Amino acid sequence: EELELYRAQTRHAIAEAEFEELRVVQAKRQEAMYLGNDYNNRRYVFNAPFNMVSVTKALQDLGEWSRSDPGCDIEFVICSPGGEVFPGMALFDYIKTLSRAGHHITTVALGYAASMGGILLQAGDTRVMGKESFLLLHEVSAGAVGKVGEVEDKLELMKVMCKRVLAIFVERSNLSEEFLESHMRRIDWWLTSDQSLEYGLVDEVR
């Protein structure tokens, strides 16, 4: 009887040890997954059209990172068809603000950075593009309906916005305003990663 009791206790002890070992392995795996996720590594993936909802979410997360981890490096990945200009420009300005606050911002185009996505790519301190990715540039577009005066006002606003967009690309590339305007006017100008690097629209192709 004492031998059977000893054996039972041994089996129980072995089972407890195996359970504890499994618990430790699971805990380590969960910790690795937590530490390795994009959020904890300050990597934001923007894979939606630019609008108030998607931009507000990005502003909130980036702001949280800046407050909780001042000066941390941030990677902002863009895979977007573009979207609304004003929310996009709000995000552009905020990223530049983070850069001035001491964060090194790397913007990355993966797949494609189209329209507003191509503009936002220029906000990074370091601009990176995937080897098989594309950049789409074109003039600012917006529908205008209403009275003649309202349409004319909207048109004037779009002209001003086009000038601001051109200024961003001129500042961040080796291209002239005239060259950019002639290639973006009324057409979709698609650029490969190699062309983007040649024109100085990105700093690195991965």
Side-chain angles (χ1 to χ4, degrees), residues 34-105:
Y34 175 77
L35 295 175
N37 67 31
D38 283 342
Y39 191 88
N40 286 299
N41 284 280
R42 306 302 186 241
R43 183 176 187 265
Y44 194 95
V45 179
F46 195 101
N47 56 2
F50 291 89
N51 55 46
M52 289 305 300
V53 174
S54 60
V55 167
T56 298
K57 176 65 166 57
L59 293 175
Q60 290 172 342
D61 287 342
L62 294 175
E64 182 179 326
W65 290 349
S66 181
R67 292 187 294 273
S68 64
D69 194 2
C72 67
D73 292 346
I74 295 174
E75 185 174 284
F76 193 90
V77 180
I78 304 165
C79 181
S80 172
E84 300 173 29
V85 176
F86 291 110
M89 285 301 190
L91 184 53
F92 183 98
D93 281 344
Y94 192 69
I95 287 177
K96 299 298 285 186
T97 299
L98 292 176
S99 177
R100 288 190 292 271
H103 298 276
H104 184 91
I105 312 294

Side-chain angles (χ1 to χ4, degrees), residues 1-205:
E1 291 182 0
E2 290 183 358
L3 180 59
E4 286 301 321
L5 177 61
Y6 173 76
R7 287 174 176 173
Q9 291 174 337
T10 301
R11 288 194 297 269
H12 181 72
I14 292 174
E16 284 189 333
E18 290 176 344
F19 177 79
E20 178 62 19
E21 182 180 0
L22 180 60
R23 189 193 66 79
V24 170
V25 169
Q26 290 176 334
K28 288 182 177 179
R29 182 180 295 117
Q30 289 176 346
E31 181 183 16
M33 290 176 63
Y34 175 77
L35 295 175
N37 67 31
D38 283 342
Y39 191 88
N40 286 299
N41 284 280
R42 306 302 186 241
R43 183 176 187 265
Y44 194 95
V45 179
F46 195 101
N47 56 2
F50 291 89
N51 55 46
M52 289 305 300
V53 174
S54 60
V55 167
T56 298
K57 176 65 166 57
L59 293 175
Q60 290 172 342
D61 287 342
L62 294 175
E64 182 179 326
W65 290 349
S66 181
R67 292 187 294 273
S68 64
D69 194 2
C72 67
D73 292 346
I74 295 174
E75 185 174 284
F76 193 90
V77 180
I78 304 165
C79 181
S80 172
E84 300 173 29
V85 176
F86 291 110
M89 285 301 190
L91 184 53
F92 183 98
D93 281 344
Y94 192 69
I95 287 177
K96 299 298 285 186
T97 299
L98 292 176
S99 177
R100 288 190 292 271
H103 298 276
H104 184 91
I105 312 294
T106 301
T107 48
V108 182
L110 286 182
Y112 69 152
S115 190
M116 190 63 232
I119 299 170
L120 197 71
L121 180 65
Q122 307 307 312
D125 300 302
T126 302
R127 302 159 300 164
V128 178
M129 197 167 174
K131 176 65 176 174
E132 305 305 331
S133 299
F134 289 86
L135 191 62
L136 169 61
L137 309 183
H138 58 63
E139 60 186 350
V140 175
S141 61
V145 295
K147 299 177 182 178
V148 173
E150 294 171 340
V151 173
E152 290 177 345
D153 289 344
K154 190 66 171 291
L155 180 60
E156 287 304 311
L157 174 60
M158 291 302 100
K159 288 180 179 179
V160 171
M161 186 61 73
C162 282
K163 285 291 185 182
R164 298 300 293 269
V165 169
L166 284 172
I168 289 172
F169 285 122
V170 169
E171 181 182 358
R172 297 304 312 269
S173 72
N174 54 33
L175 302 175
S176 68
E177 181 177 331
E178 294 74 20
F179 182 89
L180 283 160
E181 188 172 22
S182 67
H183 283 71
M184 294 168 59
R185 187 171 177 79
R186 299 180 181 173
I187 63 170
D188 286 344
W189 185 28
W190 287 96
L191 296 168
T192 65
S193 59
D194 292 333
Q195 289 173 315
S196 300
L197 184 63
E198 177 186 352
Y199 290 145
L201 292 164
V202 294
D203 304 302
E204 177 187 344
V205 172

